[in-house]
């Protein structure tokens, strides 16, 4: 069974801090994704990666960056956290072809 | 044109009822339409999916109806149970997935 593990379930940070959200998958998937989930807005794609060291901007990349140094790990970085980045962050992985995306259980991030 | 519009935002039905969740899209390049189910404290999980060359797909109590000409698709849950209470997301894919806004379903005993 595919397992996508997000390092923290809850995280509280202060405005201006640099924040790292970590995601690890155990299925050797090529593709990994970061979404944020907000009530009434669904899931919105922040960044995705289709290979090690490769990254592509999603629909809302502003204020975020990502790192993929190893195939199994995809990190989301908030360079200087702001209160409007308070949200639920979801990581997903996907194998090649038309395989479905598999999601982690999310990190609820609060920026004070 | 990349949007997927989902309705209703929330839905309450009695056990045994048939909740229906609707989604509409504009981009005719979408080639795959999945539905995800999310329980509180968990990430979304794929429930059922359909391709645009098929008008209906059933998996157990869950059915997707797809109307290509109207650019709409819907999820029906037959004989709904309290355990079906969750948030449901439709999505559409052209390369990446575009998600609808989500529907919170409550099935009362």
């Amino acid at each position: 069974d595919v397992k996508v593990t997000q390092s923290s379930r809850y995280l509280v940070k202060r405005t201006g801090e640099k924040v790292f959200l970590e995601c690890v998958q155990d299925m050797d998937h090529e593709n990994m994704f970061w979404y944020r989930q907000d009530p009434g807005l669904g899931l919105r794609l922040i960044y995705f990666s289709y290979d090690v060291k490769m990254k592509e901007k999603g629909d809302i990349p502003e204020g975020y960056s990502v790192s993929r140094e190893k195939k199994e790990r995809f990190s989301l970085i908030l360079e200087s956290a702001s209160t409007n980045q308070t949200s639920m962050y979801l990581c997903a992985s996907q194998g090649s072809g038309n395989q479905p995306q598999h999601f982690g259980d999310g990190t609820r991030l609060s920026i004070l | 044109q990349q949007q997927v519009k989902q309705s209703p935002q929330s839905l309450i039905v009695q056990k045994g009822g048939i909740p229906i969740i609707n989604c509409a899209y504009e981009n005719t390049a979408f080639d795959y339409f999945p539905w995800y189910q999310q329980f509180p404290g968990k990430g979304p999980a794929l429930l059922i999916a359909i391709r645009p060359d098929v008008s209906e797909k059933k998996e157990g109590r869950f059915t997707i109806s797809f109307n290509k000409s109207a650019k709409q698709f819907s999820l029906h849950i037959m004989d709904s149970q309290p355990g079906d209470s969750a948030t449901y997301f439709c999505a559409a894919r052209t390369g990446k997935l575009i998600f609808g806004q989500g529907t919170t379903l409550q099935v009362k005993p």
Side-chain angles (χ1 to χ4, degrees):
Chain A
D1 208 16
V2 177
K3 191 159 181 65
V4 179
T5 303
Q6 296 185 230
S7 55
S8 304
R9 294 299 304 272
Y10 301 93
L11 208 52
V12 180
K13 297 291 183 181
R14 295 205 175 276
T15 304
E17 280 192 71
K18 190 169 186 176
V19 181
F20 294 85
L21 302 183
E22 305 289 343
C23 175
V24 177
Q25 51 98 359
D26 67 354
M27 284 302 293
D28 202 36
H29 283 169
E30 291 82 4
N31 306 301
M32 296 188 74
F33 306 82
W34 275 107
Y35 295 88
R36 64 177 283 176
Q37 179 178 1
D38 300 288
L41 296 178
L43 279 67
R44 293 179 293 165
L45 182 63
I46 304 171
Y47 266 95
F48 63 102
S49 169
Y50 52 87
D51 201 352
V52 175
K53 296 193 185 295
M54 304 302 289
K55 61 184 180 184
E56 294 283 344
K57 292 181 180 179
D59 299 315
I60 51 165
E62 296 78 19
Y64 304 95
S65 63
V66 290
S67 172
R68 193 163 180 203
E69 296 296 318
K70 294 185 178 181
K71 192 174 185 180
E72 67 270 19
R73 185 179 297 270
F74 192 34
S75 303
L76 180 69
I77 304 159
L78 285 66
E79 297 290 343
S80 177
S82 63
T83 54
N84 62 13
Q85 293 178 309
T86 291
S87 186
M88 171 70 80
Y89 289 87
L90 291 164
C91 175
S93 75
Q94 180 188 26
S96 59
N98 293 325
Q99 296 182 44
Q101 291 188 19
H102 298 268
F103 285 84
D105 288 336
T107 295
R108 186 164 293 281
L109 175 65
S110 296
I111 306 296
L112 304 179
Chain B
Q1 199 180 20
Q2 283 287 81
Q3 280 189 329
V4 177
K5 295 184 179 180
Q6 182 172 346
S7 63
Q9 187 172 352
S10 63
L11 192 53
I12 301 174
V13 300
Q14 293 293 134
K15 178 182 175 182
I18 306 175
I20 300 172
I21 304 170
N22 300 296
C23 286
Y25 64 97
E26 289 295 326
N27 188 350
T28 55
F30 288 139
D31 63 357
Y32 174 73
F33 299 86
W35 285 88
Y36 281 80
Q37 180 187 54
Q38 183 181 32
F39 292 107
K42 296 292 186 182
L46 179 67
L47 183 63
I48 186 173
I50 197 167
R51 297 197 182 276
D53 54 346
V54 176
S55 61
E56 186 176 274
K57 184 173 182 180
K58 290 184 181 181
E59 285 186 6
R61 295 183 293 106
F62 299 91
T63 299
I64 300 177
S65 297
F66 190 85
N67 186 329
K68 189 174 182 178
S69 60
K71 290 186 278 188
Q72 296 176 348
F73 58 111
S74 58
L75 178 70
H76 302 233
I77 306 175
M78 305 300 178
D79 186 27
S80 59
Q81 301 296 312
D84 297 328
S85 298
T87 300
Y88 293 81
F89 293 97
C90 64
R93 185 187 70 189
T94 173
K96 58 185 180 181
L97 279 179
I98 308 296
F99 284 85
Q101 294 76 16
T103 297
T104 300
L105 171 66
Q106 182 183 356
V107 181
K108 291 189 170 183

